[in-house]
């Protein structure tokens, strides 16, 4: 059993800067948890406290049943892979893999067995006698992951392990690490994994759950699907998803017993569910959010109420287009399938088009607290 628990975990650096503000997080045994957030939000600080590489200023870290606050890194049953995976340049791949095990004075045969096992899992068999300088970036990163696997840790820690690789290699390593996690789980030896990244594609595709951080606070912990469709606050809504969710200031108004949100020059009718949720917000400022794929665009007005804007820019993504409309004093991003977008774009830019939102998929945020009040 190696669940990982943070209780009111805090970090204050020696210069007095508080980097982590009493966070609570429970990572289940065998779970793949991704910690994601913008630069400086304290992802690495948090991971390093878990690893024992940084002192803990308040609260506690538990691995399994044990509080590990005062345990040295090597006593915590963890293995860590960093962005700069620095292999020992004068050692072969085999020696690099075996190095940590030799230090822990395991018998020779066991070391050889564990190295062979890891090499097989990561397809390093053919590379065992090479030196690091004879490896590609992806191969070297696989060796770095191998060095972590041979230790058979209870908990794997990754800090942006793929950010030095090019896009294609990143995609294939992403799958490899996910597969490795599944493989260990199926073999009955699940390894709890904490994976830090600022790349939301990695977060969305790899995590069983994702923990979104901002300035040393946790903003939401949830499955990728829930984070995307039910963001608890404006920060998560804006951070997860590319292109970003459209988020615009608005106001809740009442007309003839029904509630609407005014955004720019448009007055949007709220769904029955949103009416209920927003009953107490009449007259108040809010933010209105809609993901680009829930905006429809057309050359001709829709039968139902719709808005109008100027088609100002398009980006061809191949299978779809990102279409930008200037509406009142803001810009609206829309995601349109290629077949639909092409005839419209063929008629040229800088002309009037019409749009409507899938209101069931829209979000409304309290302007002051930035909490999602439409969930
Ligand atoms: N030794 C230190 N002393 C003082 N402040 C520090 C120290 N190390 C980090 N910080 C600050 O703590 C905050 C969190 O840093 P951290 O490296 O954990 O962020 P991060 O989320 O990993 O960022 P990135 O995505 O850039 O790696 C930052 O504001 C950083 O400047
Ligand atoms: Mg970092």
């Amino acid at each position: 059993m190696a669940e990982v628990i943070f209780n009111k975990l805090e970090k204050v650096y020696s210069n007095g800067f508080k980097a982590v503000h009493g966070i609570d997080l429970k990572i289940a045994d065998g779970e793949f948890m991704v910690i994601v957030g913008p630069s400086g939000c304290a992802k690495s600080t948090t991971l390093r406290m878990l690893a024992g590489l940084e002192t803990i200023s308040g609260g506690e870290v538990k691995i399994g049943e044990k509080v590990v606050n005062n345990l040295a890194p090597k006593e915590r049953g963890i293995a860590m892979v960093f962005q700069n995976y620095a292999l020992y340049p004068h050692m072969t791949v085999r020696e690099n893999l075996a190095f940590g095990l030799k230090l822990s004075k395991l018998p020779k045969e066991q070391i050889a067995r564990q190295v062979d096992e890891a090499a097989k899992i990561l397809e390093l068999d053919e590379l065992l006698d090479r030196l690091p300088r004879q490896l590609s970036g992806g191969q070297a990163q696989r060796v770095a992951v191998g060095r972590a696997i041979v230790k058979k840790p209870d908990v794997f820690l990754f800090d942006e392990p793929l950010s030095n690789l090019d896009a294609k290699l990143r995609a294939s390593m992403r799958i490899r690490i996910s597969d490795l996690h599944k493989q260990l789980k199926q073999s009955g030896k699940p390894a709890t994994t904490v994976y830090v990244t600022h790349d939301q594609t990695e977060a969305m595709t790899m995590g069983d759950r994702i923990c979104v951080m901002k300035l040393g606070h946790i903003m939401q912990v949830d499955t990728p699907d829930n984070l995307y469709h039910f963001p608890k606050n404006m920060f998560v809504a804006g951070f997860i998803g590319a292109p970003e969710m459209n988020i615009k200031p608005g106001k809740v108004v009442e007309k003839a017993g029904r509630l609407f949100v005014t955004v720019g020059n448009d007055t949007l009718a709220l769904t029955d569910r949103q009416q209920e949720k927003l009953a107490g917000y009449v007259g108040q400022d809010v933010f209105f959010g809609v993901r680009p794929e829930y905006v429809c665009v057309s050359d001709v007005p829709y039968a139902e109420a719709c808005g109008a804007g100027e088609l100002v820019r398009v980006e061809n993504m191949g299978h779809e287009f990102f279409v930008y409309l200037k509406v009142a004093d803001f810009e609206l991003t829309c995601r349109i399938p290629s077949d639909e977008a092409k005839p419209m774009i063929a008629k040229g830019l800088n002309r009037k088009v019409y749009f409507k939102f899938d209101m069931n998929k829209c979000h409304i945020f309290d302007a002051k607290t930035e909490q999602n009040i439409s969930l």
Side-chain angles (χ1 to χ4, degrees):
M1 270 294 282
E3 61 175 10
V4 170
I5 297 174
F6 300 156
N7 280 327
K8 306 265 171 292
L9 184 62
E10 261 185 37
K11 177 68 190 181
V12 183
Y13 279 109
S14 54
N15 63 355
F17 178 73
K18 192 165 187 176
V20 178
H21 295 255
I23 57 173
D24 292 310
L25 183 64
K26 194 168 179 177
I27 305 168
D29 183 28
E31 184 171 33
F32 199 118
M33 174 69 79
V34 175
I35 300 181
V36 74
S39 185
C41 72
K43 303 179 293 293
S44 297
T45 303
T46 304
L47 199 71
R48 290 170 60 81
M49 283 195 282
L50 170 55
L53 301 172
E54 200 67 74
T55 55
I56 292 169
S57 318
E60 60 181 19
V61 173
K62 279 168 101 175
I63 299 178
E65 295 296 298
K66 241 189 306 183
V67 175
V68 298
N69 285 34
N70 298 315
L71 289 189
K74 64 178 191 312
E75 297 169 313
R76 296 189 182 198
I78 52 150
M80 189 152 173
V81 182
F82 298 96
Q83 175 179 352
N84 297 317
Y85 36 83
L87 304 175
Y88 300 108
H90 55 287
M91 291 185 195
T92 62
V93 168
R94 186 192 309 279
E95 288 162 344
N96 264 287
L97 290 175
F99 187 71
L101 300 179
K102 278 193 185 142
L103 285 187
S104 57
K105 300 207 165 60
L106 287 178
K108 261 206 176 107
E109 308 74 56
Q110 191 180 341
I111 294 179
R113 201 169 53 240
Q114 285 180 218
V115 167
D116 283 344
E117 250 178 57
K120 194 164 288 149
I121 293 176
L122 290 163
E123 292 168 49
L124 293 169
D125 316 54
E126 308 284 306
L127 307 174
L128 284 172
D129 296 317
R130 292 209 199 163
L131 290 169
R133 65 182 149 78
Q134 300 167 314
L135 301 175
S136 71
Q139 289 168 337
Q141 188 55 304
R142 256 147 66 201
V143 177
V145 174
R147 265 196 320 205
I149 294 184
V150 290
K151 292 190 192 164
K152 296 182 180 292
D154 296 323
V155 184
F156 274 113
L157 306 182
F158 292 92
D159 192 350
E160 313 239 11
L162 308 185
S163 46
N164 282 349
L165 305 180
D166 67 45
K168 209 165 165 195
L169 214 46
R170 250 196 336 256
S172 80
M173 276 305 287
R174 205 165 74 206
I175 292 171
R176 235 173 233 281
I177 292 175
S178 289
D179 284 354
L180 169 68
H181 181 75
K182 286 191 198 108
Q183 227 170 314
L184 290 174
K185 206 167 210 169
Q186 278 158 7
S187 69
K189 290 172 274 185
T192 310
T193 301
V194 188
Y195 188 104
V196 162
T197 181
H198 61 260
D199 179 323
Q200 53 157 311
T201 310
E202 282 175 29
M204 291 295 282
T205 54
M206 298 173 88
D208 290 323
R209 286 192 302 159
I210 302 172
C211 168
V212 183
M213 290 186 71
K214 176 191 174 190
L215 295 173
H217 294 274
I218 291 180
M219 303 307 285
Q220 185 169 357
V221 184
D222 220 325
T223 60
D225 209 54
N226 280 346
L227 281 185
Y228 192 82
H229 293 288
F230 310 106
K232 273 192 182 157
N233 49 62
M234 217 156 90
F235 181 80
V236 173
F239 189 77
I240 301 283
E244 266 180 43
M245 184 187 281
N246 296 291
I247 299 179
K248 310 295 171 199
K251 198 186 243 333
V252 180
V253 296
E254 186 171 1
K255 281 185 193 167
R258 297 287 293 175
L259 298 190
F260 298 78
V261 170
T262 58
V263 183
N265 300 325
D266 296 301
T267 302
L268 309 169
L270 295 175
T271 63
D272 288 347
R273 189 184 145 71
Q274 289 161 349
Q275 304 265 338
E276 262 172 48
K277 296 279 173 190
L278 294 175
Y281 281 86
V282 178
Q284 292 197 31
D285 290 333
V286 291
F287 282 95
F288 171 82
V290 60
R291 291 205 182 277
E293 62 269 34
Y294 299 125
V295 188
C296 299
V297 185
S298 162
D299 282 320
V300 289
Y302 290 94
E304 60 269 44
C306 64
E310 185 189 347
L311 179 60
V312 288
R313 198 150 36 90
V314 293
E315 289 179 307
N316 185 351
M317 294 290 131
H319 65 299
E320 65 181 0
F321 280 72
F322 299 159
V323 173
Y324 301 87
L325 308 186
K326 188 169 184 330
V327 181
D329 58 348
F330 57 79
E331 200 171 272
L332 194 62
T333 312
C334 326
R335 251 172 109 162
I336 318 280
S338 278
D339 295 349
E340 235 174 85
K342 275 183 183 161
M344 185 163 60
I345 289 158
K347 292 182 195 162
L349 295 180
N350 303 110
R351 60 198 181 81
K352 190 173 177 182
V353 291
Y354 301 87
F355 66 88
K356 63 175 184 173
F357 303 130
D358 179 348
M359 288 303 290
N360 280 307
K361 302 286 189 182
C362 293
H363 300 277
I364 315 239
F365 305 94
D366 185 307
K368 282 193 210 82
T369 66
E370 300 195 353
Q371 295 300 302
N372 191 340
I373 48 178
S374 58
L375 286 181

